Amino acid sequence: MEAVVERGNLMLAYQRVVKNEGAAGADGLTVSELKGHLKQHWPQIRARLLAGGYVPSPVRRVDIRKLDGGLRTLGIPTVVDRLIQQALHQVLQPVFEPDFSEASYGFRPGRNAHQALQAARQYVAVGKRWVVDIDLEQFFDRVNHDDLMGKLAQKIEDARILTLIRRYLEAGMMAGGLTSPRVEGMPQGGPLSPLLSNIVLTELDRELEGRGHHFCRYADDCNVYVGSRKAGERVLTSLTRFLSERLKLKVNAAKSAVGEPWQRKFLGYSISWDQKPKLRIAIPSIKRLEQRVRELLRGARGQSLVHVIEQLNPMLRGWAAYFKLVQTKQALETLDGWIRRKLRCVLWRQGKRVHTRARLLMKRGLTEERAWRSATNQRGPWFNAGASHMHAAFPKSWFDRLGLVLLLDTVQRLQRVT
């Protein structure tokens, strides 16, 4: 615990908490207010940590709707607890890191999702053309506290650390002013949870390694690559039993399956069936981006297109940076065209009246006759956004001059750099 509350460790933890920003916890204290709060209260908090008497606050429940219509429940700790968890993480990560598997890529220094995807593609390239796609049902809500604490106690001797982590696991979840106790699981949203998840699932990694399997795991997302469907079905059955009996975790039967890699997705990508397999964007990832663009453009009617594009560009850059491994360009070209059409649709809706739209088209170089014919065609905004008159008035070069990020160009530039 002395290492956790050491000044240098706390300063680094503070910097990371501030950089990550995030919402306030159950006490309403924001990241911007943390510094002033610590100046006043840190001596007492530090004393309680060193004495083993610190009790974390309940986490704030936040439900996020997923693309498939389900909900993901996050538990947002207070900013003070985020600071303490981050300080714990920085001390404990080097202790447990040497025991983690080479096939584990999530939330580890020097490792990332792109490395997991490259490894998965290589397994398919050498003939492992069936994948066992394992989805753990509500993993963060089902972690057994006693089993996890037993694993931690093998490496941690300081009882104060163990007691504090147990209290974080058992901290109640607050929603609507009421706090519900926790008897299993851990809140998904705190800095310590990713490390704890890797500690829990390292036993799965060792089991797979002992069986000689080729696999990639990123947090609770695990794919095992095998040579046949029959082998995959055996693996899925045995792993379902292992996870239930040994780790007390449940495999989601509806989402877990044995399939060909081009029919499944992993970390937002899928893998093509070619003799030399290629990474491509999974269809759900495309649908998710389209939904985010729609949500952003819903409030765009009263804004200038320059402002709309300024809001859109950071999202497109981030998306392109994640999907820079894609080896097929058709999906990117299609998305770029769809985004421009959505923006033309915004322009058409902003016109509202026939004469406004006609003047807009004439201003952009269309003849008076064509502009009026187009403005009075009585077709909807989406039809007009894809019609030749809007393409002629607002070509790709016009959006380029406004600075709209092109996904294909951004991905290709990133690929050249790396």
Side-chain angles (χ1 to χ4, degrees):
M1 185 63 80
E2 282 75 14
V4 171
V5 300
E6 187 268 329
R7 180 176 176 80
N9 187 57
L10 281 169
M11 288 299 295
L12 180 59
Y14 174 82
Q15 291 166 7
R16 288 179 175 169
V17 168
V18 171
K19 181 179 179 181
N20 291 337
E21 297 181 347
D27 63 356
L29 190 71
T30 65
V31 171
S32 62
E33 297 169 327
L34 177 59
K35 186 174 182 179
H37 181 84
L38 292 176
K39 284 182 178 179
Q40 184 176 356
H41 298 287
W42 178 248
Q44 298 95 314
I45 296 171
R46 182 179 184 276
R48 289 200 297 271
L49 287 168
L50 289 171
Y54 180 81
V55 178
S57 301
V59 298
R60 182 169 68 89
R61 177 172 178 150
V62 176
D63 292 325
I64 298 176
R65 188 162 299 280
K66 297 190 287 188
L67 191 66
D68 61 7
L71 290 177
R72 174 179 286 111
T73 299
L74 301 182
I76 309 300
T78 65
V79 288
V80 172
D81 282 326
R82 293 211 292 272
L83 173 72
I84 297 169
Q85 286 194 31
Q86 181 62 43
L88 278 168
H89 184 282
Q90 291 163 187
V91 171
L92 296 181
Q93 178 86 41
V95 175
F96 288 92
E97 179 65 26
D99 292 337
F100 292 159
S101 168
E102 285 296 311
S104 167
Y105 295 90
F107 309 113
R108 296 179 59 192
R111 290 178 159 260
N112 56 51
H114 287 168
Q115 294 169 337
L117 289 160
Q118 295 285 25
R121 188 191 66 80
Q122 185 59 34
Y123 293 147
V124 177
V126 298
K128 303 295 181 180
R129 291 189 162 240
W130 289 88
V131 60
V132 184
D133 187 352
I134 301 170
D135 184 274
L136 296 175
E137 187 173 296
Q138 296 179 314
F139 166 72
F140 282 91
D141 294 331
R142 293 181 181 272
V143 170
N144 184 277
H145 290 177
D146 292 335
D147 285 356
L148 173 54
M149 293 308 301
K151 291 179 172 66
L152 292 171
Q154 293 173 14
K155 291 275 189 177
I156 301 172
E157 296 180 357
D158 192 331
R160 295 169 298 179
I161 296 287
L162 294 172
T163 299
L164 180 59
I165 294 175
R166 168 73 81 164
R167 287 172 178 166
Y168 274 123
L169 293 174
E170 295 177 348
M173 184 170 285
M174 181 177 286
L178 299 176
T179 302
S180 304
R182 297 179 68 92
V183 295
E184 64 176 358
M186 52 188 174
Q188 185 179 0
L192 197 56
S193 295
L195 174 61
L196 298 181
S197 71
N198 275 333
I199 292 170
V200 170
L201 292 173
T202 292
E203 191 169 348
L204 170 63
D205 298 340
R206 296 308 177 205
E207 178 70 14
L208 290 169
E209 289 172 345
R211 299 182 187 186
H213 287 309
H214 298 81
F215 71 99
C216 298
R217 183 176 65 79
Y218 190 94
D220 59 333
D221 200 345
C222 184
N223 277 6
V224 185
Y225 295 87
V226 296
S228 68
R229 175 183 285 277
K230 189 174 181 180
E233 290 171 347
R234 285 198 305 268
V235 169
L236 181 56
T237 299
S238 63
L239 286 182
T240 299
R241 184 168 55 250
F242 170 83
L243 287 162
S244 174
E245 294 176 358
R246 290 283 293 276
L247 299 183
K248 298 179 176 61
L249 297 172
K250 185 178 180 181
V251 171
N252 187 327
K255 294 184 178 180
S256 300
V258 178
E260 294 164 309
W262 41 95
Q263 296 174 333
R264 308 297 298 177
K265 65 179 179 68
F266 181 50
L267 301 178
Y269 284 75
S270 65
I271 300 174
S272 74
W273 55 267
D274 303 86
Q275 187 175 2
K276 294 183 178 180
K278 297 177 181 178
L279 290 170
R280 60 189 185 186
I281 306 168
I283 297 300
S285 300
I286 294 173
K287 298 298 183 185
R288 191 173 294 112
L289 175 66
E290 290 175 346
Q291 182 60 31
R292 291 174 66 191
V293 171
R294 288 190 187 98
E295 290 171 358
L296 189 147
L297 295 184
R298 281 195 187 112
R301 180 173 292 187
Q303 303 175 18
S304 72
L305 207 65
V306 172
H307 180 65
V308 173
I309 288 173
E310 286 176 350
Q311 292 179 298
L312 190 59
N313 278 346
M315 181 176 70
L316 297 179
R317 287 193 190 96
W319 194 88
Y322 182 74
F323 286 100
K324 68 179 181 180
L325 298 185
V326 66
Q327 295 169 292
T328 55
K329 66 179 185 178
Q330 182 178 354
L332 296 172
E333 290 177 325
T334 301
L335 277 170
D336 279 331
W338 180 85
I339 290 168
R340 287 194 294 272
R341 185 171 179 179
K342 291 294 291 184
L343 292 173
R344 293 187 186 105
C345 193
V346 170
L347 288 168
W348 188 264
R349 289 180 184 277
Q350 286 179 341
K352 294 184 181 179
R353 294 181 174 84
V354 168
H355 67 273
T356 307
R357 291 167 178 167
R359 285 204 307 271
L360 176 67
L361 294 173
M362 285 186 284
K363 184 178 179 180
R364 292 296 307 152
L366 270 64
T367 64
E368 183 177 357
E369 186 272 336
R370 186 183 183 189
W372 278 101
R373 187 173 70 249
S374 300
T376 57
N377 63 21
Q378 297 186 336
R379 304 297 292 267
W382 185 245
F383 171 86
N384 281 284
S388 61
H389 53 269
M390 286 296 282
H391 276 263
F394 302 98
K396 174 182 174 298
S397 58
W398 186 79
F399 290 101
D400 291 344
R401 288 194 295 273
L402 290 184
L404 176 66
V405 166
L406 290 175
L407 296 174
L408 178 58
D409 287 357
T410 305
V411 166
Q412 289 180 334
R413 184 170 64 253
L414 290 169
Q415 288 174 345
R416 287 194 297 269
V417 170
T418 55

